[in-house]
């Protein structure tokens, strides 16, 4: 059976294993619009920016 030549440090081992426990993003459904969106994030619905069922910005266009 193969053996490693050097001991792998706990830091290196743990950083390699860090990606094993990633989970998907939490999604929710807005009760007023019915849109599926990320929790605690505003989302665009029919050109308006909506957060927690209320229109925050009307005629929202994403500018970069």
């Amino acid at each position: 059976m193969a053996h490693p030549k050097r001991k792998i440090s706990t830091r290196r081992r743990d950083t390699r294993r860090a990606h094993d426990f990633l989970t998907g993003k939490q999604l929710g459904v807005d009760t007023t619009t019915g849109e599926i969106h990320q929790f605690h994030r505003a989302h665009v619905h029919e050109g308006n920016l909506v957060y927690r069922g209320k229109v925050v910005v009307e005629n929202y266009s994403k500018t970069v």
Side-chain angles (χ1 to χ4, degrees):
M1 195 159 101
H3 295 292
K5 191 166 189 172
R6 298 264 183 252
K7 179 182 176 182
I8 297 175
S9 67
T10 55
R11 178 180 175 182
R12 185 176 290 268
R13 179 200 65 199
D14 292 344
T15 53
R16 183 185 69 242
R17 291 180 182 173
H19 297 288
D20 295 341
F21 302 104
L22 293 176
T23 58
K25 296 179 180 178
Q26 294 260 335
L27 297 178
V29 178
D30 194 347
T31 55
T32 56
T33 62
E35 287 274 325
I36 297 174
H37 64 95
Q38 220 175 342
F39 277 129
H40 306 290
R41 301 286 192 276
H43 61 281
V44 178
H45 177 71
E46 295 179 355
N48 299 327
L49 192 66
V50 180
Y51 181 69
R52 299 187 74 181
K54 298 176 183 170
V55 176
V56 180
V57 178
E58 291 184 7
N59 298 328
Y60 176 79
S61 63
K62 189 174 184 178
T63 57
V64 177

